């Protein structure tokens, strides 16, 4: 095993130590394979990450080893990689790396970063998202085909409420993500409200197939629209990110024509470079669009006024938010009501 090699990434050399270290034993992929993959899809991964505060999902010893999420920019990060100062729901803050060139992605791969989790903001305005991200998450008993059916109805909803264009991609697992580029005019709270409105509209149209229920015990065998992925500091794996599974799948951008017949497992560290060489980044024009959320926010207001549908629960680590319902599991609430308070 060579001690180190230098790889060139879009004109900048990046040192890679232990390039032969195996990161995916099932497939035999090494650290060098990972780094060269990110060079091969460089324009695509950079389009997804450029100027975005990015959390690194690191596996220093490969996919079978220990892992952690690194939110704060590493102390040894080169000075040519810029950062952005972001604030977490807790009130704490940190400087996160913001890739502006492919070499930054390769540098992160050197330290075992498999998956990149960018915020839906740019470093020049970290409080106003420029993407509405819809996560279609298959629950037990459902699969990618169920997510596809929900995605096609989602496409219609987006078209009807603001003539929005969504950009679909595989999650790297069984699910689908649909990103909508938006004007950076709204807060995280407002963008989350728009995501809830989208989910509820999908739920009305596909009540047996789609749910917005936050509590798992209420979801059933449906596609969960995870609206909380739009909350501050909640992120979704970027397009082209390698996912930490034994066969090294990647989150693959798709055209809408490809969505029905795509097989998520077919997109991996070995196959995506050839696809990219042939097709390029099928979401390359995403940054050329910036849509309005006004129609979806009006839908949210009508839901609240006409149907009494207000906010939905936040994740447990968030402070209590104004207008949020009780953050308690329904079965526990029922048991407490039926049995009464416990006495010491």
């Amino acid at each position: 095993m060579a001690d180190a090699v230098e790889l060139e990434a879009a004109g900048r050399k990046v040192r890679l130590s232990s390039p032969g270290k195996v990161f995916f034993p099932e497939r035999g992929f090494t650290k060098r394979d990972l780094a060269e993959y990110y060079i091969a899809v460089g324009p695509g991964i950079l389009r997804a990450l450029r100027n975005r505060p990015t959390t690194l999902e690191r596996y220093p010893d490969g996919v079978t080893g220990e892992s952690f999420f690194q939110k704060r920019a590493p102390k040894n990060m080169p000075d040519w990689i810029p950062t952005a100062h972001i604030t977490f729901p807790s009130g704490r803050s940190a400087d996160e790396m913001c890739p502006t060139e492919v070499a930054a992605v390769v540098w992160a791969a050197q330290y075992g970063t498999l998956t990149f989790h960018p915020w839906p903001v740019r470093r020049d305005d970290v409080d106003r998202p420029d993407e509405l991200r819809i996560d279609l998450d298959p629950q037990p008993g459902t699969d990618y085909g169920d997510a596809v059916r929900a995605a096609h109805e989602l496409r219609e909803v987006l078209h009807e409420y603001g003539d929005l264009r969504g950009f679909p991609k595989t999650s790297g697992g069984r699910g689908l993500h649909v990103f909508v580029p938006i004007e950076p005019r709204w807060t995280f709270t407002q963008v989350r409200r728009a995501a809830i409105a989208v989910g509820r509209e999908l739920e009305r149209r596909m009540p047996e197939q789609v749910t917005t229920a936050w509590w798992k015990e209420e979801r059933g065998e449906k596609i969960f629209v995870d609206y909380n992925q739009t909350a501050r500091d909640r992120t979704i794996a970027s397009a082209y990110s390698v996912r930490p599974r034994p066969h090294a799948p990647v989150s693959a951008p798709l055209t809408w024509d490809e969505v029905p017949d795509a097989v998520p497992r077919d997109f991996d560290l070995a196959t995506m470079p050839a696809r990219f060489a042939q097709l390029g980044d099928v979401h390359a024009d995403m940054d050329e669009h910036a849509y309005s959320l006004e129609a979806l926010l009006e839908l949210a207001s009508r839901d609240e006024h006409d149907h009494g549908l207000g906010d939905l629960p936040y994740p447990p680590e968030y402070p209590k938010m104004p207008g949020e319902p009780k953050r308690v599991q329904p079965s526990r609430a029922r048991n407490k009501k039926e049995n009464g308070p416990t006495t010491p």
Side-chain angles (χ1 to χ4, degrees):
M1 184 184 297
D3 290 334
V5 296
E6 275 195 340
L7 300 180
E8 184 169 319
R12 189 185 293 276
K13 292 185 183 297
V14 181
R15 182 179 183 276
L16 201 71
S17 64
S18 302
K21 188 174 187 177
V22 176
F23 271 14
F24 292 88
E26 182 176 292
R27 303 288 301 277
F29 296 139
T30 64
K31 181 196 283 191
R32 182 168 186 162
D33 293 328
L34 177 69
E36 290 182 338
Y37 163 78
Y38 279 126
I39 293 173
V41 300
I45 186 75
L46 186 58
R47 189 267 310 156
L49 300 179
R50 185 183 285 110
N51 284 318
R52 297 190 183 280
T54 300
T55 297
L56 310 178
E57 187 175 357
R58 292 179 54 187
Y59 286 76
D61 294 315
V63 73
T64 58
E66 297 293 324
S67 67
F68 60 96
F69 288 87
Q70 180 149 8
K71 296 186 177 184
R72 299 179 184 276
K75 292 182 179 180
N76 64 337
M77 192 173 73
D79 57 11
W80 49 266
I81 302 178
T83 62
H85 194 72
I86 47 89
T87 303
F88 304 117
S90 64
R92 295 181 179 180
S93 61
D95 293 323
E96 285 203 354
M97 73 176 293
C98 296
T100 55
E101 52 184 291
V102 176
V105 179
V106 178
W107 177 86
Q110 145 69 13
Y111 292 97
T113 301
L114 301 186
T115 307
F116 295 84
H117 297 266
W119 282 47
V121 300
R122 309 282 182 169
R123 64 190 176 107
D124 58 351
D125 188 350
V126 296
D127 293 317
R128 296 187 183 276
D130 68 346
E131 287 180 349
L132 170 67
R133 299 173 173 180
I134 309 298
D135 181 5
L136 301 176
D137 184 9
Q139 299 303 290
T142 63
D143 56 21
Y144 176 78
D146 298 299
V148 167
R149 286 183 280 277
H152 280 296
E153 192 61 45
L154 169 62
R155 190 183 186 190
E156 292 302 313
V157 171
L158 294 174
H159 177 71
E160 291 176 29
Y161 289 92
D163 198 20
L164 310 179
R165 177 184 170 189
F167 290 75
K169 67 183 184 72
T170 66
S171 66
R174 298 180 302 134
L176 275 167
H177 302 150
V178 179
F179 286 10
V180 180
I182 60 174
E183 300 168 7
R185 293 168 47 195
W186 295 277
T187 65
F188 277 95
T189 301
Q190 290 170 312
V191 174
R192 179 178 174 275
R193 181 173 169 84
I196 290 173
V198 167
R200 283 174 167 158
E201 182 63 19
L202 268 181
E203 204 171 22
R204 280 189 285 268
R205 298 181 183 202
M206 306 178 71
E208 300 303 318
Q209 292 86 37
V210 171
T211 182
T212 59
W214 176 246
W215 304 104
K216 290 183 179 181
E217 65 184 28
E218 294 188 320
R219 292 177 191 170
E221 295 183 1
K222 298 180 181 181
I223 298 298
F224 171 49
V225 181
D226 191 353
Y227 58 87
N228 270 330
Q229 292 291 49
T230 53
R232 179 184 288 272
D233 192 35
R234 294 292 283 249
T235 56
I236 294 177
S238 77
Y240 300 102
S241 271
V242 178
R243 305 312 309 275
R245 296 183 175 89
H247 61 288
V250 304
S251 180
L254 302 172
T255 66
W256 279 106
D257 287 342
E258 291 179 304
V259 168
D261 299 321
V263 179
R265 193 178 179 92
D266 288 346
F267 304 106
D268 61 30
L269 190 150
T271 62
M272 182 56 82
R275 171 182 166 85
F276 194 89
Q278 179 182 6
L279 301 177
D281 179 15
V282 297
H283 290 179
D285 66 331
M286 188 171 173
D287 288 345
E288 298 174 13
H289 304 275
Y291 297 100
S292 172
L293 288 181
E294 289 176 356
L296 284 177
L297 291 173
E298 289 173 4
L299 174 61
S301 295
R302 289 198 299 273
D303 279 346
E304 187 168 12
H305 182 270
D306 298 343
H307 306 292
L309 298 174
D311 204 354
L312 289 172
Y314 274 79
E317 69 273 16
Y318 279 63
K320 183 69 174 176
M321 299 296 286
E324 182 188 359
K326 289 183 178 180
R327 200 181 297 174
V328 58
Q329 193 171 334
S331 59
R332 291 186 179 181
R334 286 193 299 270
N335 289 339
K336 185 174 181 180
K337 184 176 181 180
E338 292 169 0
N339 301 325
T342 60
T343 57

